[in-house]
Each structure stands twice: as structure tokens, then as C-alpha cells.
């Protein structure tokens, strides 16, 4: 994932980036503890260099972050911390509609 971001956003032969930014999928999984996040961001700094990422913590293909990281009873403090984390990262943020409200995954039954 991050190697692809680096490949797509690094400067070409003309000195211009190939793409202005690329989507990062590394935060879309279940792990979200401090060691996991440290590993992602350390790898990002080592691999991407001057590239510009677009960070997402959830999207339409996976369960919402409130459910995925927070379980059946997500903590509002955890959801605020997740948003603060996402918006403090170098790059652009892509939020899935409803995450700003802390919405959990809907019951599809």
C-alpha cells in the first residue's frame, strides 16, 4: 500500500509528481493499537518520502470505524481520538459520510 503511494506520487523525470496524492488503505483494517499505528507511520515516513497520501479510516467497503474499532458500544472518546489522529496526519483526509457523527455500522436485517 504505502510503497504504491510512494510510486504514484514521487516526482517523475520532469520533476513533477505523477499524481498529486494517492489513497492509503493501511488504516482500513481492524488493528488500531499504538504499536500498529507506530509501525504504519514509521513505514510511511521511510517509504513515501515527499509523496502526498490521502488517509481514510473507513470507507463503503468495510464496517464503519465506530463498529470496527469500537465494537458493540463504541466510546465517543475513542471516536474523537480516531478523528483527531486522522486529521493530524500529513496528507489529505477522506472521511466516510456519517463518521463525523460517530455512526456505527447499520443492522442490515
Amino acid at each position: 500500500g504505502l510503497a504504491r503511494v510512494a510510486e504514484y506520487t514521487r516526482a517523475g523525470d520532469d520533476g513533477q509528481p505523477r499524481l498529486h496524492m494517492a489513497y492509503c488503505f493501511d488504516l482500513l483494517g481492524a488493528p488500531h493499537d499504538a504499536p500498529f499505528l507506530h509501525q504504519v507511520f514509521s513505514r510511511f515516513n521511510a517509504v513515501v518520502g515527499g509523496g502526498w497520501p490521502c488517509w481514510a479510516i473507513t470507507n463503503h467497503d468495510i464496517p464503519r470505524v465506530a463498529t470496527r474499532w469500537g465494537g458493540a458500544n463504541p466510546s465517543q472518546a475513542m471516536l474523537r481520538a480516531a478523528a483527531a489522529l486522522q486529521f493530524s496526519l500529513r496528507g489529505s483526509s477522506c472521511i466516510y459520510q456519517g463518521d463525523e457523527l460517530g455512526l456505527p455500522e447499520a443492522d442490515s436485517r
Side-chain angles (χ1 to χ4, degrees):
L2 292 177
R4 190 71 63 205
V5 171
E7 178 185 349
Y8 286 173
T9 60
R10 74 172 174 251
D13 293 338
D14 61 357
Q16 297 297 312
R18 293 179 171 108
L19 295 176
H20 292 278
M21 73 176 155
Y23 195 74
C24 288
F25 294 93
D26 292 69
L27 300 179
L28 297 180
H32 64 283
D33 60 5
F36 172 78
L37 294 173
H38 182 269
Q39 177 264 336
V40 168
F41 303 136
S42 294
R43 197 169 33 124
F44 169 79
N45 287 329
V47 173
V48 176
W52 195 257
C54 179
W55 294 101
I57 293 181
T58 192
N59 66 25
H60 63 275
D61 290 324
I62 58 172
R64 290 184 175 276
V65 70
T67 302
R68 192 166 28 92
W69 286 5
N73 246 343
S75 159
Q76 291 301 306
M78 184 277 300
L79 294 173
R80 284 191 296 274
L85 168 72
Q86 182 179 3
F87 294 130
S88 68
L89 297 173
R90 183 175 70 82
S92 299
S93 291
C94 183
I95 64 167
Y96 185 49
Q97 187 175 18
D99 281 350
E100 74 281 7
L101 303 174
L103 295 179
E105 191 67 19
D107 185 1
S108 61
R109 288 184 246 154

XYZ file of all heavy atoms in Angstrom:
831
model
N 0.791 -1.198 0.000
C 0.000 0.000 0.000
C 0.834 1.262 0.000
O 0.730 2.082 -0.906
N 1.666 1.441 1.020
C 2.439 2.677 1.101
C 3.510 2.750 0.020
O 3.826 3.840 -0.467
C 3.058 2.822 2.485
C 2.047 3.053 3.612
C 2.763 3.113 4.955
C 1.229 4.297 3.382
N 4.042 1.613 -0.379
C 5.012 1.610 -1.483
C 4.341 2.090 -2.767
O 4.950 2.815 -3.562
C 5.594 0.214 -1.672
N 3.075 1.731 -2.960
C 2.328 2.181 -4.139
C 2.076 3.689 -4.063
O 2.177 4.384 -5.067
C 1.017 1.415 -4.249
C 0.294 1.608 -5.530
C 0.930 0.958 -6.725
N 0.943 -0.478 -6.545
C 1.809 -1.285 -7.139
N 2.715 -0.818 -7.950
N 1.793 -2.570 -6.930
N 1.762 4.206 -2.871
C 1.593 5.651 -2.700
C 2.887 6.360 -3.101
O 2.860 7.357 -3.833
C 1.202 6.004 -1.249
C 1.241 7.515 -1.025
C -0.172 5.458 -0.910
N 4.012 5.843 -2.639
C 5.306 6.436 -2.978
C 5.535 6.398 -4.489
O 5.961 7.388 -5.094
C 6.423 5.699 -2.251
N 5.244 5.256 -5.092
C 5.444 5.107 -6.542
C 4.585 6.092 -7.325
O 5.048 6.722 -8.269
C 5.098 3.677 -6.952
C 5.214 3.420 -8.437
C 4.735 2.023 -8.813
O 4.508 1.191 -7.923
O 4.576 1.780 -10.022
N 3.332 6.240 -6.947
C 2.398 7.085 -7.682
C 2.632 8.577 -7.472
O 2.283 9.379 -8.326
C 0.961 6.756 -7.299
C 0.440 5.451 -7.858
C -0.801 4.981 -7.469
C 1.172 4.686 -8.752
C -1.300 3.786 -7.964
C 0.690 3.498 -9.251
C -0.552 3.042 -8.859
O -1.047 1.868 -9.340
N 3.191 8.950 -6.318
C 3.289 10.384 -6.010
C 4.703 10.944 -6.086
O 4.875 12.156 -5.948
C 2.703 10.685 -4.615
O 3.431 9.954 -3.626
C 1.231 10.330 -4.542
N 5.695 10.101 -6.283
C 7.055 10.649 -6.372
C 7.232 11.374 -7.706
O 6.506 11.137 -8.675
C 8.100 9.567 -6.189
C 8.254 8.642 -7.358
C 9.463 7.717 -7.160
N 9.490 6.755 -8.226
C 9.222 5.466 -8.084
N 8.946 4.985 -6.901
N 9.248 4.664 -9.117
N 8.215 12.222 -7.755
C 8.459 13.033 -8.944
C 8.910 12.161 -10.111
O 9.681 11.215 -9.939
C 9.499 14.101 -8.650
N 8.423 12.509 -11.269
C 8.844 11.837 -12.499
C 10.113 12.468 -13.034
O 10.770 13.286 -12.369
N 10.483 12.108 -14.250
C 11.703 12.637 -14.874
C 11.673 14.152 -15.027
O 12.714 14.801 -15.040
C 11.921 11.992 -16.238
C 12.234 10.506 -16.119
O 12.690 10.075 -15.032
O 12.015 9.774 -17.105
N 10.474 14.729 -15.126
C 10.346 16.178 -15.292
C 10.311 16.926 -13.960
O 10.155 18.139 -13.924
C 9.101 16.515 -16.107
C 7.821 16.045 -15.433
O 7.887 15.410 -14.352
O 6.737 16.305 -15.994
N 10.453 16.193 -12.842
C 10.437 16.811 -11.523
C 9.048 17.006 -10.939
O 8.905 17.430 -9.800
N 8.023 16.714 -11.697
C 6.644 16.862 -11.233
C 6.116 15.519 -10.714
O 6.481 14.466 -11.232
C 5.736 17.336 -12.379
C 6.102 18.694 -12.911
C 5.955 19.768 -11.851
O 4.950 19.843 -11.162
N 6.977 20.594 -11.702
N 5.259 15.561 -9.681
C 4.696 14.299 -9.191
C 3.813 13.657 -10.250
O 3.185 14.353 -11.044
C 3.877 14.719 -7.963
C 3.598 16.167 -8.156
C 4.741 16.713 -8.961
N 3.818 12.346 -10.270
C 2.957 11.635 -11.219
C 1.488 11.902 -10.890
O 0.697 12.215 -11.752
C 3.268 10.155 -11.172
C 4.652 9.842 -11.695
C 4.924 8.348 -11.613
N 6.145 8.034 -12.301
C 7.264 7.683 -11.684
N 7.293 7.575 -10.384
N 8.344 7.421 -12.378
N 1.148 11.736 -9.624
C -0.183 12.077 -9.116
C 0.009 13.015 -7.930
O 1.013 12.942 -7.235
C -0.935 10.829 -8.642
C -1.305 9.793 -9.691
C -1.945 8.580 -9.023
C -2.259 10.384 -10.719
N -0.947 13.865 -7.677
C -0.841 14.796 -6.558
C -1.015 14.098 -5.219
O -0.474 14.527 -4.208
C -1.843 15.934 -6.696
C -1.519 16.827 -7.841
N -0.597 17.831 -7.759
C -1.967 16.835 -9.112
C -0.488 18.437 -8.931
N -1.319 17.849 -9.765
N -1.799 13.011 -5.192
C -1.947 12.217 -3.967
C -2.454 10.838 -4.342
O -2.929 10.618 -5.450
C -2.875 12.898 -2.969
C -4.325 12.883 -3.304
S -5.246 13.638 -1.943
C -6.673 14.184 -2.848
N -2.330 9.916 -3.391
C -2.813 8.555 -3.584
C -3.460 8.078 -2.287
O -3.054 8.458 -1.187
C -1.663 7.628 -3.986
N -4.472 7.261 -2.423
C -5.278 6.749 -1.318
C -4.497 5.715 -0.518
O -3.880 4.816 -1.083
C -6.527 6.113 -1.919
C -7.656 5.836 -0.972
C -8.448 6.864 -0.480
C -7.961 4.544 -0.600
C -9.511 6.606 0.356
C -9.023 4.269 0.241
C -9.798 5.316 0.711
O -10.850 5.048 1.543
N -4.524 5.839 0.814
C -3.852 4.888 1.711
C -4.877 3.936 2.320
O -5.857 4.384 2.918
C -3.134 5.621 2.839
S -1.675 6.485 2.300
N -4.639 2.654 2.200
C -5.535 1.632 2.724
C -5.076 1.057 4.059
O -5.754 0.222 4.636
C -5.653 0.471 1.722
C -6.319 0.850 0.438
C -5.579 1.262 -0.649
C -7.699 0.793 0.319
C -6.199 1.605 -1.837
C -8.329 1.135 -0.862
C -7.575 1.549 -1.946
N -3.946 1.504 4.580
C -3.322 0.871 5.737
C -4.121 0.979 7.031
O -3.921 0.187 7.952
C -1.913 1.433 5.949
C -0.992 1.011 4.827
O -1.190 1.488 3.698
O -0.094 0.200 5.079
N -5.021 1.950 7.142
C -5.800 2.122 8.371
C -7.212 1.545 8.253
O -8.050 1.772 9.120
C -5.875 3.610 8.745
C -4.540 4.291 8.993
C -4.746 5.761 9.326
C -3.770 3.584 10.099
N -7.469 0.780 7.204
C -8.808 0.244 6.980
C -9.046 -1.112 7.633
O -10.136 -1.662 7.530
C -9.103 0.139 5.478
C -9.127 1.465 4.725
C -9.429 1.227 3.252
C -10.118 2.435 5.319
N -8.061 -1.649 8.318
C -8.211 -2.948 8.969
C -8.662 -2.812 10.411
O -8.952 -1.727 10.908
N -8.699 -3.932 11.084
C -9.121 -3.954 12.491
C -8.041 -3.444 13.447
O -8.369 -2.780 14.425
C -9.554 -5.367 12.886
N -6.746 -3.735 13.210
C -5.737 -3.279 14.185
C -5.728 -1.754 14.300
O -5.838 -1.052 13.294
C -4.419 -3.770 13.596
C -4.769 -4.806 12.605
C -6.143 -4.467 12.106
N -5.617 -1.268 15.529
C -5.543 0.176 15.717
C -4.833 0.554 17.015
O -4.929 1.682 17.468
C -6.942 0.801 15.686
C -7.823 0.341 16.815
N -8.421 -0.887 16.815
C -8.196 0.947 17.963
C -9.136 -1.024 17.921
N -9.009 0.069 18.635
N -4.100 -0.399 17.589
C -3.395 -0.085 18.830
C -2.125 0.718 18.514
O -1.728 0.872 17.361
C -3.075 -1.345 19.627
C -2.199 -2.346 18.872
O -1.740 -2.046 17.750
O -1.964 -3.427 19.416
N -1.496 1.253 19.548
C -0.332 2.119 19.383
C 0.814 1.449 18.616
O 1.386 2.075 17.721
C 0.142 2.629 20.739
N 1.175 0.180 18.910
C 2.263 -0.432 18.140
C 1.942 -0.545 16.646
O 2.809 -0.316 15.806
C 2.433 -1.817 18.784
C 1.923 -1.644 20.178
C 0.794 -0.662 20.059
N 0.701 -0.886 16.319
C 0.317 -0.987 14.907
C 0.422 0.375 14.229
O 0.996 0.499 13.144
C -1.103 -1.540 14.767
C -1.601 -1.484 13.354
C -1.188 -2.420 12.424
C -2.460 -0.478 12.948
C -1.619 -2.355 11.104
C -2.900 -0.400 11.639
C -2.487 -1.344 10.713
N -0.139 1.406 14.858
C -0.109 2.739 14.267
C 1.330 3.244 14.134
O 1.692 3.836 13.109
C -0.946 3.708 15.100
C -2.449 3.408 15.121
C -3.147 4.324 16.102
C -3.054 3.511 13.739
N 2.161 2.982 15.134
C 3.568 3.383 15.065
C 4.249 2.725 13.873
O 5.014 3.374 13.145
C 4.277 3.022 16.371
C 5.706 3.435 16.387
N 6.723 2.606 15.963
C 6.290 4.603 16.752
C 7.869 3.244 16.073
N 7.632 4.454 16.549
N 3.971 1.447 13.669
C 4.568 0.716 12.541
C 4.115 1.318 11.205
O 4.926 1.520 10.304
C 4.181 -0.771 12.647
C 4.659 -1.644 11.530
C 3.598 -1.831 10.453
O 2.416 -1.699 10.667
N 4.058 -2.116 9.266
N 2.826 1.640 11.062
C 2.316 2.224 9.812
C 2.984 3.569 9.547
O 3.471 3.825 8.445
C 0.777 2.384 9.849
C 0.277 3.243 8.683
C 0.095 1.029 9.827
N 3.030 4.428 10.555
C 3.561 5.766 10.337
C 5.075 5.767 10.176
O 5.621 6.575 9.418
C 3.107 6.711 11.447
C 1.600 6.765 11.555
C 0.983 6.722 12.787
C 0.807 6.805 10.420
C -0.406 6.752 12.883
C -0.575 6.833 10.504
C -1.185 6.808 11.745
N 5.771 4.857 10.837
C 7.216 4.723 10.638
C 7.506 4.257 9.219
O 8.403 4.792 8.547
C 7.816 3.733 11.635
O 7.710 4.221 12.939
N 6.746 3.274 8.758
C 6.913 2.778 7.393
C 6.561 3.873 6.387
O 7.243 4.054 5.379
C 6.043 1.544 7.176
C 6.426 0.726 5.976
C 5.707 -0.596 5.999
N 4.391 -0.419 6.603
C 3.246 -0.738 6.020
N 3.234 -1.315 4.870
N 2.097 -0.522 6.608
N 5.499 4.625 6.669
C 5.111 5.735 5.800
C 6.267 6.719 5.643
O 6.628 7.096 4.528
C 3.881 6.449 6.371
C 3.581 7.746 5.689
C 2.944 7.774 4.464
C 3.955 8.952 6.268
C 2.683 8.972 3.825
C 3.698 10.153 5.644
C 3.058 10.165 4.410
N 6.850 7.140 6.760
C 7.950 8.100 6.701
C 9.154 7.552 5.944
O 9.845 8.290 5.247
C 8.362 8.533 8.105
C 7.343 9.444 8.734
O 6.659 10.195 8.040
N 7.208 9.376 10.047
N 9.413 6.254 6.077
C 10.559 5.642 5.405
C 10.320 5.445 3.913
O 11.245 5.581 3.120
C 10.880 4.304 6.063
N 9.095 5.134 3.540
C 8.808 4.731 2.163
C 8.301 5.867 1.286
O 8.729 6.031 0.155
C 7.779 3.568 2.157
C 7.328 3.229 0.761
C 8.352 2.350 2.837
N 7.382 6.654 1.792
C 6.683 7.625 0.952
C 7.506 8.879 0.696
O 7.414 9.483 -0.361
C 5.301 7.963 1.540
C 4.604 9.045 0.737
C 4.434 6.713 1.581
N 8.341 9.263 1.637
C 9.165 10.448 1.421
C 8.306 11.686 1.233
O 7.479 12.002 2.070
N 8.473 12.369 0.112
C 7.730 13.596 -0.151
C 6.373 13.385 -0.775
O 5.685 14.343 -1.088
N 5.972 12.125 -0.973
C 4.662 11.860 -1.563
C 3.530 12.343 -0.676
O 3.708 12.572 0.519
N 2.357 12.503 -1.264
C 1.209 13.037 -0.537
C 0.118 11.975 -0.469
O -0.457 11.598 -1.483
C 0.677 14.283 -1.234
C -0.238 15.078 -0.381
C -1.598 15.115 -0.470
C 0.119 15.935 0.698
N -2.111 15.946 0.487
C -1.066 16.473 1.217
C 1.327 16.295 1.286
C -1.083 17.352 2.283
C 1.301 17.171 2.345
C 0.111 17.692 2.828
N -0.190 11.494 0.747
C -1.209 10.470 0.901
C -2.603 11.058 1.109
O -2.747 12.226 1.485
C -0.766 9.735 2.162
C -0.174 10.828 2.994
C 0.517 11.742 2.010
N -3.587 10.238 0.886
C -4.964 10.536 1.263
C -5.358 9.456 2.266
O -5.489 8.290 1.902
C -5.882 10.509 0.042
S -7.603 10.837 0.468
N -5.481 9.832 3.540
C -5.752 8.879 4.611
C -7.245 8.657 4.784
O -8.024 9.601 4.794
C -5.185 9.385 5.928
C -3.704 9.472 5.962
C -2.947 10.593 5.821
C -2.779 8.395 6.141
N -1.613 10.286 5.907
C -1.482 8.935 6.112
C -2.930 7.027 6.330
C -0.345 8.156 6.262
C -1.795 6.246 6.486
C -0.517 6.810 6.448
N -7.635 7.413 4.970
C -9.012 7.055 5.316
C -8.960 6.022 6.429
O -8.060 5.185 6.472
C -9.733 6.480 4.107
N -9.908 6.104 7.337
C -10.005 5.115 8.404
C -11.155 4.152 8.113
O -11.215 3.064 8.651
C -10.164 5.807 9.773
C -8.877 6.564 10.100
C -10.463 4.815 10.874
C -8.884 7.279 11.428
N -12.046 4.529 7.239
C -13.132 3.649 6.810
C -13.603 4.085 5.432
O -13.255 5.152 4.949
C -14.287 3.650 7.843
O -15.189 2.591 7.558
C -15.026 4.959 7.861
N -14.369 3.218 4.798
C -14.996 3.547 3.520
C -16.224 2.648 3.336
O -16.600 1.912 4.249
C -14.001 3.449 2.354
C -13.514 2.048 2.076
O -14.167 1.053 2.379
N -12.337 1.950 1.485
N -16.820 2.688 2.161
C -18.057 1.945 1.916
C -17.855 0.430 1.794
O -18.840 -0.303 1.775
C -18.740 2.480 0.650
C -17.903 2.272 -0.575
N -16.910 3.163 -0.945
C -17.891 1.293 -1.480
C -16.339 2.713 -2.049
N -16.907 1.592 -2.396
N -16.643 -0.043 1.726
C -16.372 -1.468 1.550
C -16.172 -2.243 2.849
O -16.096 -3.472 2.816
C -15.115 -1.672 0.690
C -15.330 -1.271 -0.755
O -16.442 -1.491 -1.267
O -14.392 -0.737 -1.365
N -16.049 -1.556 3.963
C -15.753 -2.210 5.236
C -16.676 -1.655 6.319
O -17.289 -0.608 6.122
C -14.274 -1.989 5.643
C -13.970 -0.489 5.752
C -13.323 -2.669 4.680
C -12.624 -0.184 6.325
N -16.768 -2.327 7.473
C -17.585 -1.773 8.565
C -17.053 -0.411 9.027
O -15.855 -0.147 8.983
C -17.444 -2.810 9.683
C -17.108 -4.077 8.978
C -16.269 -3.667 7.799
N -17.961 0.418 9.467
C -17.594 1.746 9.964
C -16.580 1.636 11.099
O -16.551 0.660 11.836
C -18.828 2.491 10.451
C -19.744 2.907 9.334
C -20.888 3.737 9.903
N -21.731 4.244 8.843
C -21.479 5.351 8.148
N -20.414 6.069 8.413
N -22.300 5.748 7.200
N -15.791 2.687 11.258
C -14.746 2.689 12.281
C -15.339 2.553 13.676
O -14.745 1.916 14.548
C -13.833 3.931 12.160
C -14.558 5.205 12.549
C -12.571 3.750 12.988
N -16.519 3.110 13.913
C -17.131 3.005 15.241
C -17.347 1.544 15.618
O -17.092 1.141 16.749
C -18.463 3.762 15.273
N -17.778 0.737 14.668
C -18.026 -0.683 14.911
C -16.736 -1.487 14.859
O -16.474 -2.345 15.701
C -19.024 -1.224 13.875
O -20.233 -0.454 13.968
C -19.327 -2.694 14.099
N -15.900 -1.210 13.867
C -14.676 -1.987 13.655
C -13.673 -1.791 14.776
O -13.050 -2.733 15.236
C -14.063 -1.584 12.307
C -12.984 -2.454 11.792
C -12.683 -2.194 10.316
N -12.962 -0.857 9.878
C -12.068 0.139 9.870
N -10.836 -0.078 10.241
N -12.407 1.337 9.457
N -13.481 -0.554 15.209
C -12.516 -0.275 16.272
C -13.175 -0.193 17.641
O -12.522 -0.386 18.651
C -11.778 1.030 16.006
C -10.751 0.967 14.911
C -10.491 -0.084 14.085
C -9.861 2.005 14.523
N -9.503 0.238 13.195
C -9.092 1.517 13.439
C -9.644 3.293 14.963
C -8.121 2.278 12.812
C -8.677 4.057 14.336
C -7.919 3.548 13.271
N -14.476 0.099 17.692
C -15.133 0.315 18.967
C -16.031 -0.802 19.448
O -16.475 -0.792 20.588
N -16.339 -1.763 18.567
C -17.197 -2.873 18.958
C -18.656 -2.470 19.082
O -19.105 -1.496 18.477
N -19.390 -3.218 19.893
C -20.836 -3.013 20.028
C -21.171 -1.698 20.725
O -22.228 -1.117 20.482
C -21.460 -4.180 20.795
N -20.298 -1.230 21.602
C -20.532 0.002 22.360
C -19.340 0.940 22.199
O -18.544 1.096 23.128
C -20.723 -0.328 23.841
C -22.102 -0.036 24.310
O -22.842 0.678 23.666
N -22.441 -0.601 25.456
N -19.201 1.588 21.057
C -18.008 2.413 20.835
C -17.955 3.618 21.762
O -18.962 4.264 22.030
C -18.134 2.856 19.383
C -19.574 2.720 19.051
C -20.116 1.631 19.924
N -16.776 3.889 22.263
C -16.538 5.039 23.124
C -16.466 6.305 22.274
O -15.722 6.357 21.283
C -15.215 4.830 23.871
O -14.693 6.050 24.319
N -17.212 7.321 22.666
C -17.157 8.591 21.949
C -15.758 9.197 22.029
O -15.303 9.836 21.086
C -18.221 9.547 22.481
C -19.638 9.119 22.149
C -19.874 9.007 20.654
O -19.617 9.952 19.906
N -20.335 7.849 20.215
N -15.071 8.983 23.139
C -13.700 9.489 23.284
C -12.776 8.816 22.268
O -11.920 9.474 21.668
C -13.197 9.268 24.706
N -12.939 7.508 22.057
C -12.119 6.794 21.075
C -12.411 7.313 19.672
O -11.500 7.507 18.871
C -12.385 5.283 21.150
C -11.502 4.431 20.241
S -12.017 4.251 18.509
C -13.612 3.508 18.654
N -13.675 7.566 19.372
C -14.031 8.072 18.040
C -13.479 9.476 17.811
O -12.997 9.783 16.722
C -15.548 8.052 17.862
C -16.156 6.649 17.836
C -17.674 6.719 17.840
C -15.646 5.858 16.656
N -13.494 10.309 18.836
C -12.894 11.645 18.715
C -11.378 11.531 18.531
O -10.786 12.259 17.726
C -13.237 12.501 19.928
C -14.676 13.021 19.907
C -14.917 14.082 20.964
N -14.770 13.587 22.318
C -15.735 13.001 23.027
N -16.921 12.835 22.507
N -15.501 12.591 24.254
N -10.748 10.606 19.257
C -9.301 10.402 19.118
C -8.955 9.888 17.725
O -7.953 10.298 17.139
C -8.788 9.442 20.186
N -9.788 8.985 17.176
C -9.552 8.469 15.821
C -9.643 9.600 14.797
O -8.816 9.695 13.890
C -10.543 7.355 15.493
N -10.639 10.470 14.943
C -10.778 11.606 14.029
C -9.593 12.561 14.185
O -9.034 13.035 13.188
C -12.090 12.331 14.283
N -9.196 12.841 15.425
C -8.055 13.731 15.662
C -6.785 13.145 15.049
O -5.988 13.867 14.439
C -7.869 13.972 17.158
N -6.603 11.836 15.197
C -5.454 11.165 14.597
C -5.472 11.342 13.088
O -4.492 11.774 12.486
C -5.462 9.674 14.944
C -4.491 8.811 14.143
C -3.063 9.080 14.583
C -4.840 7.348 14.275
N -6.592 11.020 12.468
C -6.692 11.093 11.014
C -6.422 12.504 10.497
O -5.687 12.684 9.534
C -8.075 10.632 10.549
C -8.226 10.640 9.039
C -9.586 10.152 8.587
O -10.453 9.850 9.397
N -9.776 10.077 7.293
N -6.986 13.503 11.155
C -6.846 14.873 10.669
C -5.500 15.507 11.029
O -5.183 16.581 10.533
C -7.992 15.734 11.179
C -9.322 15.315 10.597
C -10.403 15.101 11.422
C -9.477 15.099 9.236
C -11.624 14.696 10.903
C -10.686 14.699 8.706
C -11.759 14.501 9.542
N -4.714 14.847 11.865
C -3.400 15.384 12.209
C -2.283 14.793 11.361
O -1.141 15.234 11.452
C -3.096 15.155 13.693
O -2.933 13.780 13.965
N -2.594 13.818 10.537
C -1.581 13.179 9.699
C -1.211 14.065 8.518
O -2.056 14.791 7.983
C -2.106 11.834 9.177
C -2.402 10.792 10.242
C -3.078 9.574 9.611
C -1.132 10.384 10.956
N 0.045 13.965 8.102
C 0.461 14.689 6.897
C -0.254 14.064 5.709
O -0.227 12.864 5.501
C 1.975 14.582 6.683
C 2.447 15.393 5.470
C 3.951 15.374 5.337
N 4.484 14.099 4.944
C 4.541 13.654 3.675
N 4.075 14.371 2.699
N 5.067 12.478 3.410
N -0.916 14.884 4.944
C -1.673 14.407 3.800
C -3.087 14.950 3.850
O -3.396 15.859 4.610
N -3.933 14.393 3.026
C -5.346 14.761 2.993
C -6.147 13.684 3.702
O -5.703 12.544 3.801
C -5.827 14.896 1.546
O -5.096 15.912 0.885
N -7.324 14.050 4.187
C -8.197 13.084 4.852
C -9.441 12.851 4.013
O -9.984 13.779 3.425
C -8.630 13.602 6.225
O -7.546 13.627 7.094
N -9.874 11.631 3.992
C -11.106 11.253 3.312
C -11.993 10.605 4.367
O -11.644 9.560 4.906
C -10.790 10.276 2.182
S -12.236 9.797 1.225
N -13.112 11.246 4.685
C -13.993 10.668 5.694
C -15.244 10.117 5.027
O -15.723 10.646 4.032
C -14.361 11.660 6.819
C -15.160 12.835 6.299
C -13.128 12.128 7.542
C -15.793 13.647 7.398
N -15.719 9.034 5.569
C -16.920 8.381 5.080
C -18.111 9.047 5.746
O -18.140 9.201 6.966
C -16.838 6.894 5.429
C -17.943 6.034 4.896
C -18.335 6.084 3.567
C -18.581 5.129 5.732
C -19.332 5.272 3.085
C -19.580 4.304 5.258
C -19.955 4.380 3.933
O -20.951 3.577 3.464
N -19.086 9.457 4.950
C -20.229 10.195 5.478
C -20.855 9.465 6.665
O -21.164 8.289 6.590
C -21.265 10.390 4.383
C -22.399 11.288 4.781
C -23.351 11.549 3.630
O -23.371 10.832 2.646
N -24.138 12.587 3.763
N -21.006 10.172 7.760
C -21.548 9.618 8.993
C -20.489 9.396 10.054
O -20.800 9.345 11.240
N -19.229 9.278 9.651
C -18.162 9.107 10.645
C -18.003 10.350 11.508
O -17.619 10.248 12.672
C -16.834 8.762 9.976
C -16.749 7.306 9.584
O -17.630 6.522 9.982
O -15.796 6.950 8.872
N -18.306 11.519 10.948
C -18.210 12.739 11.745
C -19.232 12.746 12.879
O -19.092 13.468 13.856
C -18.372 13.989 10.861
C -19.786 14.269 10.394
C -20.265 13.418 9.217
O -19.567 12.490 8.791
O -21.374 13.704 8.723
N -20.243 11.887 12.764
C -21.264 11.750 13.807
C -21.006 10.547 14.710
O -21.745 10.319 15.655
C -22.646 11.598 13.163
C -23.079 12.730 12.226
C -24.383 12.375 11.544
C -23.180 14.035 12.984
N -19.988 9.755 14.386
C -19.698 8.547 15.156
C -20.699 7.429 14.916
O -20.934 6.613 15.803
N -21.290 7.383 13.722
C -22.303 6.361 13.432
C -21.697 4.969 13.398
O -20.648 4.754 12.790
C -22.987 6.645 12.100
C -23.814 7.911 12.016
C -24.403 8.058 10.608
C -24.911 7.927 13.057
N -22.341 3.994 14.041
C -21.900 2.595 13.947
C -22.428 1.968 12.663
O -23.242 2.571 11.952
C -22.532 1.940 15.185
C -23.796 2.730 15.376
C -23.461 4.141 14.964
N -21.979 0.759 12.390
C -22.476 0.008 11.236
C -23.975 -0.248 11.426
O -24.428 -0.602 12.503
C -21.710 -1.320 11.106
C -21.937 -2.054 9.831
C -21.376 -1.342 8.620
O -20.497 -0.456 8.756
O -21.803 -1.670 7.510
N -24.755 -0.066 10.384
C -26.202 -0.293 10.461
C -26.501 -1.780 10.445
O -25.783 -2.567 9.819
C -26.898 0.384 9.288
N -27.546 -2.155 11.129
C -28.009 -3.540 11.105
C -28.776 -3.727 9.808
O -29.787 -3.056 9.561
C -28.917 -3.814 12.311
C -29.337 -5.269 12.403
O -28.925 -6.079 11.554
O -30.070 -5.581 13.362
N -28.310 -4.607 8.950
C -28.909 -4.775 7.616
C -30.078 -5.750 7.587
O -30.572 -6.067 6.524
C -27.828 -5.210 6.630
O -27.279 -6.444 7.022
N -30.504 -6.214 8.737
C -31.640 -7.150 8.742
C -32.939 -6.454 8.522
O -33.262 -5.407 8.750
C -31.713 -7.885 10.067
C -30.595 -8.874 10.183
C -30.719 -9.661 11.439
N -29.565 -9.272 12.246
C -29.519 -9.322 13.547
N -30.552 -9.687 14.226
N -28.439 -9.009 14.188
